[in-house]
Amino acid sequence: MLTEYAQRNDLIVKHKFAVSETGSKKEQRKVFNQVLKLAVQDKIDALIFEKVDRVTRNLHSSVDIYDWLEADENRQLHCVKDSLILHKFSKSQDKLNWDIKVAMAKNYADNLSEEVRKGKAEKIAQGWYPGPALLGYKSVDALGSKRKIQVIDTEKAPFVKRCFE
């Protein structure tokens, strides 16, 4: 979709990046920084994203985008599904739309994190381990339950014990 958009708008695609929607904040930030670095290094004037929440879900990256745009009047940010094109001289309404969408994306990410923490706390309260099995253990189905429990992995545990010895 983005490649077709670029072709329709006479934009040349120099680099392509992909970040999983479930990617970690650290990984997303790493790719975001790489995109901006390459854009400056290769003198790229347009960045194309599916939508605002694929560009950023935090205020830091939003400021980085504004700084990138402000540094050169030829630079543009295209968010295709949001029908939004930002540049140095964008109208206040376009900037407001960007800011609102960034705030909504941040709220989505913050709420998701909150729900995960609540889910883990609930598992702990019910006596369940709230994550994947640690090295030396394995997850198995608990009898009479849809949940899994952690038990010693008889194949790997002796090696873990040996490492500590």
Side-chain angles (χ1 to χ4, degrees):
M1 173 190 67
L2 300 181
T3 301
E4 289 174 7
Y5 176 88
Q7 289 170 347
R8 280 194 314 273
N9 290 279
D10 296 323
L11 300 170
I12 298 167
V13 176
K14 286 189 175 183
H15 303 282
K16 292 182 182 183
F17 293 87
V19 178
S20 167
E21 188 157 345
T22 59
S24 70
K25 287 182 184 180
K26 184 177 179 182
E27 182 63 25
Q28 287 175 340
R29 183 70 182 176
K30 181 180 171 185
V31 172
F32 175 82
N33 288 337
Q34 188 179 9
V35 167
L36 281 185
K37 182 180 176 183
L38 273 173
V40 171
Q41 177 184 309
D42 292 356
K43 297 181 171 94
I44 294 170
D45 289 335
L47 298 177
I48 307 169
F49 290 89
E50 179 184 8
K51 49 190 177 173
V52 172
D53 71 2
R54 303 314 306 141
V55 181
T56 183
R57 290 186 180 173
N58 66 66
L59 302 176
H60 301 289
S61 298
S62 178
V63 170
D64 291 343
I65 288 290
Y66 275 130
D67 289 345
W68 179 77
L69 291 169
E70 285 293 318
D72 186 333
E73 64 184 42
N74 294 316
R75 292 179 179 169
Q76 298 179 343
L77 174 74
H78 297 247
C79 297
V80 178
K81 285 189 175 178
D82 292 323
S83 300
L84 181 65
I85 300 173
L86 283 183
H87 49 81
K88 184 174 184 169
F89 304 110
S90 290
K91 293 182 179 179
S92 62
Q93 184 63 44
D94 290 334
K95 290 179 179 180
L96 176 62
N97 287 340
W98 163 265
D99 291 341
I100 288 169
K101 289 179 184 298
V102 169
M104 290 172 58
K106 181 183 182 314
N107 174 258
Y108 172 81
D110 290 348
N111 183 62
L112 188 59
S113 178
E114 187 178 306
E115 292 299 320
V116 168
R117 284 193 305 275
K118 283 178 12 185
K120 285 183 176 184
E122 181 62 27
K123 279 185 173 183
I124 291 169
Q126 293 179 12
W128 299 96
Y129 183 73
L134 300 175
L135 184 61
Y137 293 85
K138 63 183 177 180
S139 294
V140 296
D141 292 328
L143 295 175
S145 173
K146 293 180 182 177
R147 299 203 179 215
K148 295 193 177 279
I149 59 172
Q150 313 291 314
V151 297
I152 293 175
D153 183 335
T154 55
E155 291 180 21
K156 293 180 183 173
F159 296 108
V160 174
K161 183 178 175 187
R162 173 91 177 175
C163 287
F164 281 100
E165 290 172 351

